[in-house]
Amino acid sequence: MSRTRAVLPVLPVLAVGAFAIGTDTFVVAGVLPEVVDGLKSSLADVGWVSTVFALTYAVLAPVLGALTGRVERRTVLVISLVVFALGNAASALAPSLGWLLAARVATAAGAALYIPAASASAAALSAPERRGRAMAVVLGGLSAATVAGVPFGTWLAADLGWRSTFWLLAGLGVVCAAAVAGGLPEVRLPAAPGLAARLAPVRDARVLFTVLTTLLFMTGGYLVLTYIGAVLAPATDGNGTTLALLLLVFGVLAVGGTVLGGRATDRFGATPVLLASVAGLAVVLATLPLTRDGLATAALAMGAWGITAMATQPPQQHRLFAIAPTSGPLLLSLNSSATFAGISLGGFIGGRVIAHGGAHGLDRLGQFGAVLAVLALGTALIGVRVRTAGPGAGAAEAPAAPSPAGKSG
C-alpha cells in the first residue's frame, strides 16, 4: 500500500492533462462562429475542424498505442503533451482553414497518445482493488472539461478571439508536460515479446465485443447530443443561457457519474456497473421525447444522462486492462478510438435522421439513440458469455495481475 500512497498525488496531474484534451475536443463547437469570421470561411467548411480531430484521434489511438506499448509511460505522456501543445500553438497561428485542419491533425495525434497512456499509468500505479477509482480520476478530467473547460474556452473566444482559446490550451499542455516530467514516477508495463504479442489480444473476442459496446453507446449518445440545442429548444425557448445551464447540469453530474462508476466498479465488478449504466442511458434517450418540452423535466433528463453516460467509462477501461495488462495501452487506445469514432458517427447519423425524419426527426433522435444503447447491452452480454465460456474465464472480472511497478524516477 505504501507504493500506492506514494504515487496517488500524481493522479490529479494526469487528470489535468485529460481536462486539457477534453476541453480541446469539445470547445471547438463553441468557437466555430469566431473561426468562421476570422478565417472568412463557411460554417460547413469550418465544421470539418471538429470532424478531422475526432477521426484522426479514432484512427491514430490504436496505432500509436501499439507502437509505443513498450516505451516507459512517463516518456510517452511527456511526448504526447508536447505534441498536443505544439498542435494548439499551430492552431492559434493558422493563417487559413487548411493550416488549421493540419494543426488539428497534429493536436489529435498528441491527444490520442495521451489518454490511453494516462489511464494505463493510473491503473499501473494503483493497487488492483483501487484500479477503477484511479482510472476514474483520469477520466474525471475529461468530464470536468464539459463543466469548466468548454464554457470558459467559449467565453474566452467570444471576448478575446478564438486564437486565445488555442493559446490557453497550448500553455496548459506545456504546464502538464512539465508536471508529468517532474512528478510522475517511472512506469513500465510488463514486457511483451514483441509487437505481434502485444497485438494478439486484439483478436480476443472479449476485446472485440467490449470495444463494439463502447462504439454503440457512444454513437447513440452523440446522435442526440450533437444536436442537443435543437432537441431542447422547446424547454429553452431557444435561449442560449438556459441551454448553457442545462449543459452545466449535464457536465456536473457527468463528473459525478465518472466517480460513481469508478467506485462501483471496484466494489461490484465492471460488468454489473456497465450493464446498469448503459441500461440507464437507454432509458434516458428513449424518454427524451417526453422530457424535452419542460425545463424541469429536461434538467432531470440531462442530469441522469450525465451520470449514466460517464459511469460507463471506468468499467469499460477496467475490463480491457484486465484482459491483458501487457497490452493495456493498445487496448485502452482501442476504447478511446471507439469513443471518438462514436462521436463522429453519432453526428453523421443524427444529421441523416433529422434530414429524413420530417416533423418528428428530433424526437426520433432519442429513439434511435436508445436502440443503439440497447444493442450495446447486447454486445456487452455477449462479451461476458464469451469470457465465461472460453479459456481463461473470469480474467476480465478478477483484479488484474500484478500491475507494472512504478519506480521512483
Side-chain angles (χ1 to χ4, degrees):
M1 289 299 293
S2 59
R3 174 171 64 89
T4 302
R5 286 195 297 270
V7 299
L8 278 179
V10 307
L11 295 181
V13 173
L14 298 176
V16 172
F19 172 83
I21 288 170
T23 301
D24 202 339
T25 301
F26 303 116
V27 77
V28 171
V31 304
L32 281 186
E34 285 77 16
V35 177
V36 168
D37 292 339
L39 297 182
K40 309 302 181 187
S41 298
S42 69
L43 183 60
D45 288 341
V46 173
W48 280 99
V49 173
S50 294
T51 302
V52 164
F53 184 97
L55 289 177
T56 301
Y57 189 115
V59 171
L60 289 185
V63 174
L64 295 176
L67 293 177
T68 62
R70 301 179 74 180
V71 181
E72 191 270 321
R73 296 294 92 190
R74 180 175 57 189
T75 301
V76 172
L77 289 167
V78 171
I79 291 173
S80 65
L81 287 166
V82 169
V83 172
F84 173 81
L86 291 174
N88 274 293
S91 299
L93 293 169
S96 65
L97 180 58
W99 280 100
L100 179 58
L101 291 174
R104 300 313 289 159
V105 169
T107 308
L113 187 57
Y114 180 85
I115 296 296
S119 295
S121 298
L125 291 170
S126 302
E129 68 273 11
R130 297 182 62 88
R131 189 160 288 150
R133 275 171 279 189
M135 289 181 165
V137 171
V138 176
L139 292 170
L142 288 174
S143 302
T146 65
V147 179
V150 173
F152 181 76
T154 303
W155 169 81
L156 193 66
D159 196 50
L160 300 177
W162 61 273
R163 298 180 191 274
S164 61
T165 299
F166 290 121
W167 279 123
L168 175 66
L169 290 167
L172 191 55
V174 170
V175 170
C176 289
V180 168
L184 190 72
E186 185 179 277
V187 182
R188 293 190 181 276
L189 300 182
L195 181 60
R198 295 198 303 279
L199 290 174
V202 175
R203 298 189 294 271
D204 190 320
R206 295 171 296 172
V207 173
L208 171 64
F209 283 107
T210 300
V211 172
L212 181 58
T213 298
T214 296
L215 176 64
L216 285 170
F217 69 67
M218 287 300 298
T219 301
Y222 272 86
L223 189 149
V224 186
L225 196 58
T226 303
Y227 304 97
I228 195 63
V231 170
L232 295 182
T236 64
D237 289 327
N239 185 288
T241 300
T242 304
L243 176 62
L245 290 174
L246 290 175
L247 290 175
L248 181 63
V249 170
F250 175 91
V252 169
L253 291 179
V255 175
T258 303
V259 175
L260 179 64
R263 291 183 176 275
T265 295
D266 287 336
R267 182 170 181 179
F268 302 110
T271 298
V273 176
L274 175 67
L275 295 178
S277 55
V278 175
L281 177 63
V283 171
V284 171
L285 295 176
T287 56
L288 268 181
L290 304 177
T291 60
R292 71 188 190 96
D293 289 333
L295 186 57
T297 54
L300 288 173
M302 293 299 286
W305 191 351
I307 292 174
T308 55
M310 288 309 297
T312 60
Q313 293 300 321
Q316 281 293 79
Q317 294 207 349
H318 190 284
R319 283 159 61 89
L320 286 169
F321 193 86
I323 289 171
T326 298
S327 300
L330 171 60
L331 299 186
L332 294 176
S333 296
L334 287 172
N335 193 61
S336 291
S337 180
T339 296
F340 278 79
I343 292 173
S344 296
L345 192 58
F348 174 78
I349 295 175
R352 305 288 75 75
V353 171
I354 291 173
H356 300 288
H360 301 289
L362 291 175
D363 281 335
R364 289 177 179 171
L365 288 177
Q367 296 166 356
F368 274 90
V371 169
L372 290 172
V374 171
L375 290 176
L377 279 175
T379 56
L381 288 170
I382 293 172
V384 172
R385 293 184 65 84
V386 167
R387 172 182 62 77
T388 54
E397 280 303 315
S403 58
K407 300 180 293 184
S408 179

